[in-house]
Amino acid sequence: LEVSAHAASWKQLYFERNLEDALEQYDPAVNSLDDLRRLMTYSRRFVQTISLRQLPSHLDLTTMFDCMINSPSSLTVHYTLKNVGMEYDRSLFGMKLADCRALAKCLEKTETLTHLDLSNNGLDDDKVRMLASGLVE
């Protein structure tokens, strides 16, 4: 674990990793959205960077931005699924237009986000236009 990447704070490292794991493992059929919201609300004072290596649930990110208020300042999201094996389904990979629409609404409201990484998400022209609409005032 590289604590220097988390403002040299073990507390920030813990809260960021804990939240990332909860978001990556979230399954609406199994997990409670209220529990996830509660975790985001408790974590918001300590979380500056969120790096999601997978988001198979395609969770509406407005939930996160609403709970986190003044954070994160850096967001990386990869709409993929790790260790798929024989259960491969193309629909699990890449951003959907609904994901772009939700993120565009978040971009309209956020004042703290300074870094956004959406690489490897299969963005086409329509999806980029949708995202860019959230950046225009």
Side-chain angles (χ1 to χ4, degrees), residues 75-101:
L75 176 63
T76 301
V77 182
H78 296 287
Y79 287 91
T80 62
L81 186 59
K82 302 292 181 192
N83 304 320
V84 175
M86 296 302 292
E87 297 175 18
Y88 175 82
D89 181 1
R90 177 71 183 116
S91 68
L92 297 173
F93 297 85
M95 286 183 87
K96 298 180 181 352
L97 200 53
D99 299 323
C100 294
R101 189 174 301 119

Side-chain angles (χ1 to χ4, degrees), residues 3 5 12 20 28 35 43 51-52 55-56 63 74 79 81 89 105 117 121 125 131:
V3 74
Q12 183 175 336
E20 289 168 358
D35 290 343
S43 302
S51 180
L52 302 174
L55 194 61
T63 303
S74 176
Y79 287 91
L81 186 59
D89 181 1
K105 288 180 184 178
D117 180 356
N121 280 311
D125 291 346
L131 289 167

Side-chain angles (χ1 to χ4, degrees), residues 1 27 36 44 64 66 77 89 100 105 107 110 117 134 136:
L1 297 174
D27 180 356
L36 187 60
R44 69 181 174 205
M64 182 183 70
D66 289 345
V77 182
D89 181 1
C100 294
K105 288 180 184 178
L107 294 175
T110 187
D117 180 356
V136 179

Side-chain angles (χ1 to χ4, degrees), residues 11-23:
K11 189 183 294 187
Q12 183 175 336
L13 171 67
Y14 169 78
F15 277 99
E16 287 177 357
R17 289 286 175 94
N18 187 46
L19 182 58
E20 289 168 358
D21 288 344
L23 289 166

